[in-house]
Amino acid sequence: MCIRDSHNTKSTYFDLNLPKATNHTLRTNEVSATSFDVNALELHYSSFIFANTTTTSVLRVTGTTTERTCILCHTVQSKGTTYLSGLYINSTATFVNTSMVATYFQSGGLRSSRIQLVDTKNTNTIYIQSFPFTAGSSFEILNSSIITTTSYAVYLTSSIISDGSRFVMEDTTVKGLNAFYTNGYQLNAGGLLHARRSNFSASSASY
């Protein structure tokens, strides 16, 4: 399914509650809408792509599992809150050259898979809540900026970084009321929490 060159003044809603949809591609290109709400995503060996897409309210993807499915957001301008909620990601989810406000990765988690934020600009908090990384998983923020004056920049809570998995920030600017705040997360033996060539600045305190 492809939606292209569309300009909607209200929300765009997809209910993809399809039983193990395989070889399926959902693509939006040159699209603007108040919000995108993709519900009950269960894709297998498929692609889910937002390209050159603008939302003024919410970009929300909720569902169950994405087995060997690539999720790609490229040159996306989300002027509201972005949610990836309830997703069990088994392959990759990549955000490239995107601009987002508050971003939530909550419930679900990574299953020997990877999330990358590359050349991404966040103007509010990145929340990683109850989003465990199983062995072999990687959450990477690369060459990006997370800057807010009103809240945490990165908030990691109630998540587990398992043996053989890692949370990485490289070449990234992190500024907030608190720059990097952790609460109730678990770093297992063999797990890696890694920051390299990054700048942390907080108006209150860096944790």
Side-chain angles (χ1 to χ4, degrees), residues 6-12 32-35 56-57:
S6 173
H7 301 280
N8 304 322
T9 58
K10 295 185 178 181
S11 299
T12 299
S32 65
T34 302
S35 65
T56 57
S57 179

Side-chain angles (χ1 to χ4, degrees), residues 33-165:
T34 302
S35 65
F36 277 103
D37 199 331
V38 181
N39 184 51
L41 181 70
E42 185 168 352
L43 299 179
H44 300 256
Y45 301 91
S46 303
S47 297
F48 172 61
I49 302 169
F50 278 113
N52 302 322
T53 296
T54 300
T55 66
T56 57
S57 179
V58 171
L59 172 61
R60 186 195 317 269
V61 182
T62 60
T64 53
T65 185
T66 56
E67 181 185 8
R68 299 296 174 259
T69 290
C70 173
I71 299 174
L72 173 65
C73 293
H74 188 275
T75 320
V76 171
Q77 308 294 316
S78 182
K79 300 176 182 178
T81 303
T82 301
Y83 295 92
L84 267 72
S85 180
L87 284 177
Y88 292 97
I89 297 172
N90 292 277
S91 186
T92 60
T94 306
F95 296 79
V96 181
N97 192 23
T98 62
S99 177
M100 298 180 287
V101 187
T103 306
Y104 287 81
F105 299 90
Q106 59 184 13
S107 67
L110 293 174
R111 294 178 171 176
S112 301
S113 55
R114 180 171 64 178
I115 286 179
Q116 283 189 318
L117 280 69
V118 183
D119 298 322
T120 293
K121 180 181 179 181
N122 276 71
T123 57
N124 209 319
T125 309
I126 293 179
Y127 294 91
I128 304 166
Q129 299 177 316
S130 302
F131 198 81
F133 309 166
T134 62
S137 295
S138 182
F139 194 116
E140 304 169 8
I141 305 174
L142 309 174
N143 196 34
S144 297
S145 66
I146 309 153
I147 299 175
T148 176
T149 59
T150 59
S151 187
Y152 311 104
V154 177
Y155 187 90
L156 177 62
T157 180
S158 302
S159 298
I160 299 172
I161 302 175
S162 299
D163 181 13
S165 64

